[in-house]
Amino acid sequence: MKQEAETARGAPATLWDRTRRLASREILETALRLFTEQGYDETTIAQIAREAGVSQRTLFRYFGTKEDLLGGNQDRFGQVLTDTISELPAEVGVWEALRTGVAAVLALHDSREQALERFRLLHNTASLRAGWLEKQLRFQEDLLPLIEVRMDAATGSVGAKARAVIATAFACLDAASMTWVDNDGKGDIIDLYDECLAAVRG
Amino acid sequence: MKQEAETARGAPATLWDRTRRLASREILETALRLFTEQGYDETTIAQIAREAGVSQRTLFRYFGTKEDLLGGNQDRFGQVLTDTISELPAEVGVWEALRTGVAAVLALHDSREQALERFRLLHNTASLRAGWLEKQLRFQEDLLPLIEVRMDAATGSVGAKARAVIATAFACLDAASMTWVDNDGKGDIIDLYDECLAAVRG
DNA sequence: GACTGTTTGGCAGCGACTGCCAATTTGCGT
DNA sequence: ACGCAAATTGGCAGTCGCTGCCAAACAGTC
């Protein structure tokens, strides 16, 4: 677990790291394949471990949760979101700031197809949606202070308003990505996002 | 399981029904007590069953899921929501329709204190929040057709917009109830809801 | 080649949840 | 009041995600 100095780019120095990366990839690919083939709930950890050629115990050491096997580790989303927004100048309004953050997150996906695959899985599996929404809530908490300072504290509870605004942005993102999936990945999600937001804000 | 004709109000005719109701209440009260005493995740089904004086198997026959033990069965919320909105005249706009539905749902709670207790539990327990959000998603799907017909199909995907609007309403409800809990139940949730919506729709 | 630290696999166990079967309880007809 | 059928219950074993623990296999260093 020692984050040894490995030459920033290129193959990692040690055999351990190389093996780790290989195993990680093998597990991830096996998992995604099985998930799309037979569904998330219908795929057991035992099966993934067997087909990836590792023990269950090792699999859980690489990925602490079954959800983590979806790849495109969603925890980074929160990071990128908060980083992007906190680097914005103070004059930028809440809505524009959130839009910028959302765009940055959407830009993280490798390929359109992989994104489509993941989103499809996400929107078709109840347990996954729930997990995703829970993560959203955590992002929401992280975003709260960054948004609060950008809002005019005119009347009432600033916290409530900020929460509502953030949650609305996420709601639009979800609605947009859901529609995107329904359209088999036609168009850009960010355009759908704008459309949704326009519908909400009249 | 035969839904025998029991005089609509008053004690149910058969002993079975009476016993069932008693057991149900006993389990529910025990569960809520333990949840608030030691937390949701820290309370095991085995403990609830033991203290309620039934077997685990029977407990699961009364309530299919641990979440169902929260009481105030949330599945009714969806019912009330869709019923309320579908009974509204066609001229009523989407936002007013949704507000009416939300108000109807909020009116379902027995007492302010019980509601506060449940909301507090909900907002402080990650797994519960996830479950609640998942139910919200189901409500959202049910509401979709009712909202779509109330929207002007000017441009773009009506589905996306309707979804966004509904999700925004839920987002405001969540933000409102969260703030309500933070304020220890001071004021009316529906007022906070209006405040949140105002913040979003500018 | 021996020593040290890392990684791995297996096993037992927990908690939510389900299917199955036998035992108990309740309702009803005679 | 008795007995049969239906409803209800409890117990047991098993699944699945997930964790702690311990011994074995392994990479890296001297």
Side-chain angles (χ1 to χ4, degrees):
Chain A
M1 287 296 179
K2 202 169 26 162
Q3 274 296 79
E4 195 74 32
E6 65 194 45
T7 48
R9 66 190 62 253
T14 107
L15 210 186
W16 278 342
D17 279 6
R18 242 177 302 155
T19 320
R20 273 185 80 79
R21 256 158 239 242
L22 222 92
S24 175
R25 225 174 241 170
E26 176 70 23
I27 295 172
L28 225 51
E29 282 173 11
T30 309
L32 197 57
R33 179 172 57 78
L34 291 175
F35 287 161
T36 54
E37 271 178 22
Q38 41 178 301
Y40 178 81
D41 288 326
E42 287 69 34
T43 305
T44 71
I45 295 283
Q47 190 184 7
I48 301 171
R50 206 183 317 123
E51 300 207 12
V54 294
S55 72
Q56 282 192 45
R57 198 64 192 76
T58 301
L59 190 153
F60 274 117
R61 266 194 278 258
Y62 279 82
F63 305 92
T65 324
K66 192 181 179 185
E67 278 181 25
D68 292 344
L69 290 170
L70 272 189
N73 59 4
Q74 304 166 331
D75 293 334
R76 263 200 75 199
F77 292 179
Q79 200 69 31
V80 170
L81 240 185
T82 51
D83 287 356
T84 305
I85 293 187
S86 65
E87 282 167 9
L88 254 38
E91 311 92 71
V92 177
V94 280
W95 294 107
E96 198 185 331
L98 284 167
R99 204 205 106 110
T100 310
V102 166
V105 168
L106 287 177
L108 282 180
H109 290 288
D110 315 325
S111 71
R112 204 182 200 69
E113 277 150 24
Q114 208 168 37
L116 185 57
E117 196 105 334
R118 293 219 179 100
F119 276 131
R120 208 191 292 281
L121 214 50
L122 203 84
H123 289 304
N124 291 336
T125 313
S127 45
L128 283 180
R129 273 185 318 195
W132 166 243
L133 290 175
E134 199 188 325
K135 264 172 208 148
Q136 274 190 192
L137 276 181
R138 237 169 297 144
F139 301 160
Q140 207 172 313
E141 282 321 299
D142 296 339
L143 246 43
L144 199 51
L146 299 180
I147 296 300
E148 271 180 342
V149 299
R150 285 188 152 83
M151 294 191 53
D152 46 335
T155 62
S157 160
V158 186
K161 293 180 179 179
R163 253 189 255 269
V165 168
I166 301 170
T168 299
F170 280 124
C172 287
L173 177 58
D174 279 346
S177 66
M178 216 177 290
T179 309
W180 188 68
V181 168
D182 283 348
N183 292 347
D184 286 323
K186 200 170 52 182
D188 265 341
I189 297 188
I190 196 70
D191 291 336
L192 288 167
Y193 173 84
D194 288 335
E195 206 177 297
C196 288
L197 206 55
V200 169
R201 308 203 56 215
Chain B
M1 287 298 180
K2 199 168 34 161
Q3 275 296 77
E4 195 76 30
E6 65 193 44
T7 48
R9 65 190 63 256
T14 108
L15 211 185
W16 277 340
D17 280 6
R18 240 177 303 157
T19 319
R20 272 184 81 79
R21 256 158 239 243
L22 223 96
S24 175
R25 223 173 241 169
E26 176 70 24
I27 294 172
L28 226 50
E29 281 172 11
T30 309
L32 197 55
R33 179 172 58 79
L34 291 175
F35 287 161
T36 56
E37 271 178 23
Q38 41 178 300
Y40 178 80
D41 288 328
E42 288 69 34
T43 305
T44 71
I45 294 284
Q47 190 185 7
I48 301 171
R50 207 183 318 124
E51 299 207 13
V54 295
S55 72
Q56 284 192 45
R57 199 64 190 77
T58 301
L59 191 154
F60 273 118
R61 266 194 278 258
Y62 279 82
F63 305 91
T65 321
K66 192 181 180 186
E67 277 181 27
D68 292 345
L69 290 170
L70 272 189
N73 60 4
Q74 304 165 332
D75 293 335
R76 262 201 76 199
F77 291 178
Q79 200 70 31
V80 170
L81 241 184
T82 50
D83 287 355
T84 305
I85 293 187
S86 65
E87 281 166 10
L88 254 36
E91 311 91 71
V92 177
V94 280
W95 294 107
E96 199 185 331
L98 283 168
R99 204 205 105 110
T100 310
V102 167
V105 167
L106 287 177
L108 282 180
H109 290 288
D110 314 327
S111 71
R112 203 183 199 70
E113 278 151 23
Q114 208 169 37
L116 185 57
E117 195 104 334
R118 294 220 179 99
F119 275 131
R120 208 190 293 281
L121 215 50
L122 205 87
H123 289 303
N124 291 335
T125 312
S127 44
L128 283 179
R129 273 184 319 196
W132 166 243
L133 289 173
E134 201 187 324
K135 265 171 207 147
Q136 271 190 192
L137 278 180
R138 238 169 295 143
F139 300 161
Q140 212 172 309
E141 281 321 298
D142 295 341
L143 245 44
L144 198 51
L146 299 179
I147 297 300
E148 272 180 341
V149 299
R150 285 188 153 82
M151 295 191 52
D152 46 335
T155 63
S157 161
V158 186
K161 293 180 179 179
R163 253 188 255 269
V165 167
I166 301 171
T168 298
F170 278 121
C172 288
L173 177 58
D174 279 346
S177 66
M178 217 177 289
T179 309
W180 188 67
V181 168
D182 283 348
N183 292 348
D184 285 323
K186 200 170 53 181
D188 265 340
I189 298 187
I190 195 71
D191 291 337
L192 287 167
Y193 172 84
D194 289 335
E195 206 177 297
C196 289
L197 207 55
V200 169
R201 307 203 59 215

